[in-house]
Amino acid sequence: MTTYTIDKENSITALGSQQAEFEGEIFASQQELADLAGKWPATRLVEVWNGIPGLAQVKKFTDRKSAVSRIWKAIQDRK
């Protein structure tokens, strides 16, 4: 299972087996991402999505659950 970090600039990075020093929050599953996102303002979810290269920009999501699901799928497709 891949572990990810998200920093204060909303950049998501997959961590390798040898984790270097990093700043940010860690998650390894969609549920862990949802738990983190539950503490964020909705605008941060939009910023995270819009920061993933190659995706169509959005202005808002229907709800937090769908935002997390779409973000999780997008980063899984990039492995």
Side-chain angles (χ1 to χ4, degrees):
M1 180 183 298
T2 304
T3 301
Y4 301 89
T5 182
I6 184 165
D7 64 22
K8 60 186 174 187
E9 284 82 35
N10 301 317
S11 295
I12 297 175
T13 305
L15 299 176
S17 58
Q18 297 180 345
Q19 296 180 6
E21 292 281 328
F22 66 90
E23 292 183 24
E25 300 172 288
I26 297 175
F27 62 96
S29 69
Q30 185 173 340
Q31 183 58 53
E32 289 177 3
L33 176 58
D35 292 344
L36 290 175
K39 303 171 195 166
W40 300 342
T43 55
R44 184 170 185 192
L45 291 166
V46 171
E47 291 169 6
V48 169
W49 175 265
N50 289 340
I52 300 173
L55 300 177
Q57 302 272 305
V58 299
K59 292 185 181 184
K60 65 179 182 175
F61 287 102
T62 305
D63 55 48
R64 190 174 299 272
K65 183 178 177 181
S66 63
V68 169
S69 177
R70 288 179 64 187
I71 291 167
W72 180 254
K73 183 177 180 338
I75 63 174
Q76 295 306 295
D77 290 345
R78 303 213 180 294
K79 284 190 199 180

